[in-house]
Amino acid sequence: MMFEFEPLIRLGCFGGVLLLMMLWEWRAPRRPQRISRLGRWPHNLLLVVINTVLLRLCFPLAAVGAALLADERGWGLFNALSVPFWVSVILSLLILDLLIYLQHRLFHAVPWLWRLHRVHHADLEFDVTTGLRFHPVEILLSMTLKLAAVTLIGAPALAVLLFEVLLNATAMFNHGNVGLPKRLDKWLRLMLVTPDMHRVHHSVIPEETDSNFGFNLPWWDRLFNTYRAQPQAGQLGMTIGLNQFRNPTELRLHRLLLQPFRRSSIPPKTSDS
């Protein structure tokens, strides 16, 4: 049964997309980066390792396991209704993506949740590893909400596996320091969040930070009026990150783990220091 190999499937897709995006960024970067990859990538990727271990320890079943359990026990909306399997798969994908959009907005709106989520936004560059950079507590809360949603709607295990793989892959894609031809980007962002679309969300300008919340499908931003086509300073002129965390020392792993519990960054070094 394919679900027995769920961790391997996810790991294989993760590794393949990550490597592809890294190569794409190396060959055709969208924006020049002033902070070296060696100054950021080890810390961002170590955060991924910590989050993965914590999820396995705290949620051994994970989201796919919850879907299998709900199916076995008859829990959830789609398990209680006579819905064709393919319909329940498609609807589950749409509902889960909408919930991720709403969760993202919630983490921006609630101050203590924002303290956790700002670890993601405080990166001073924008590339594929930014899409993997989340505080462990946010990851645990997100999985808790996801498990509840999967159980309540009775999402088929296949839909959950597809969603997990797609969300992970598109998050790496739309955080990539890559660009698409303008015409292709214009049409593609009708169906998928593109790097140029999501990069606006990582602008230092608050009004732009509070836009383009979608990770996968772009429709929710248009539907709920949170869509912004371009940053006011342009893709090459915009500043990435948060005003209160501009010191490169904030990119280190221990600073990322402690960041939610601090008000702001240490004062930046002056040119005379």
Side-chain angles (χ1 to χ4, degrees), residues 92-166:
S92 294
L93 289 171
L94 291 173
I95 293 171
L96 289 172
D97 198 71
L98 173 59
L99 290 175
I100 290 294
Y101 167 86
L102 295 174
Q103 174 191 303
H104 195 176
R105 291 195 65 176
L106 184 68
F107 271 78
H108 275 249
V110 178
W112 69 271
L113 292 176
W114 169 246
R115 280 180 168 269
L116 297 170
H117 186 61
R118 72 185 184 187
V119 170
H120 176 64
H121 279 268
D123 202 347
L124 297 178
E125 300 288 1
F126 180 91
D127 64 23
V128 61
T129 66
T130 308
L132 307 171
R133 171 184 153 139
F134 294 93
H135 194 275
V137 178
E138 177 178 358
I139 289 294
L140 293 177
L141 287 174
S142 180
M143 179 56 76
T144 301
L145 294 173
K146 191 184 299 180
L147 292 177
V150 166
T151 304
L152 286 172
I153 67 177
L158 177 61
V160 177
L161 178 58
L162 287 173
F163 180 74
E164 294 276 71
V165 170
L166 285 172

